[in-house]
């Protein structure tokens, strides 16, 4: 199964995987995602596809190396 085929996925935990890149195309298909945990990786900015996750309630990026928010989060009105 490919990740982008999981269109009903609600929780995606990617923490502690030494990731530095996440393809925005995958995030654009996960429209039902409510929790995205990208913490404890090597991300320096948020993938631009994050702004398309309108049902996202929780975004975890602690212990990453985020230096800037390159994507607008204003569309994420459910984000807590």
């Amino acid at each position: 199964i490919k990740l982008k085929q999981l269109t009903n996925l609600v929780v995606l935990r990617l923490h502690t995987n030494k990731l530095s890149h996440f393809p925005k195309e995958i995030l654009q298909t996960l429209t039902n995602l409510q929790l995205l945990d990208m913490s404890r990786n090597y991300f320096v900015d948020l993938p631009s596809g994050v702004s398309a996750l309108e049902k996202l309630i929780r975004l975890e990026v602690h212990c990453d190396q985020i230096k800037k928010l390159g994507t607008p989060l204003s569309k994420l009105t459910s984000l807590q």
Side-chain angles (χ1 to χ4, degrees):
I1 294 177
K2 294 182 180 183
L3 189 59
K4 66 181 181 179
Q5 293 175 325
L6 302 174
T7 56
N8 292 322
L9 193 67
V10 176
V11 174
L12 180 58
R13 295 190 185 274
L14 301 171
H15 61 86
T16 320
N17 280 297
K18 299 182 181 179
L19 301 173
S20 60
H21 176 72
F22 195 86
K24 69 178 180 179
E25 297 82 21
I26 292 175
L27 287 178
Q28 291 172 343
T29 62
L30 302 177
T31 56
N32 290 308
L33 208 59
Q34 294 179 11
L35 185 146
L36 176 58
D37 184 353
M38 300 170 56
S39 61
R40 299 184 184 275
N41 282 295
Y42 299 112
F43 294 106
V44 294
D45 57 8
L46 294 177
S48 59
V50 168
S51 61
L53 302 175
E54 294 179 3
K55 294 182 182 177
L56 197 66
I57 295 171
R58 187 168 180 158
L59 175 62
E60 298 183 10
V61 292
H62 61 279
C63 298
D64 274 329
Q65 300 173 16
I66 303 286
K67 295 182 179 16
K68 64 178 182 169
L69 295 176
T71 186
L73 299 178
S74 59
K75 291 182 180 180
L76 304 177
T77 56
S78 297
L79 199 61
Q80 298 177 0

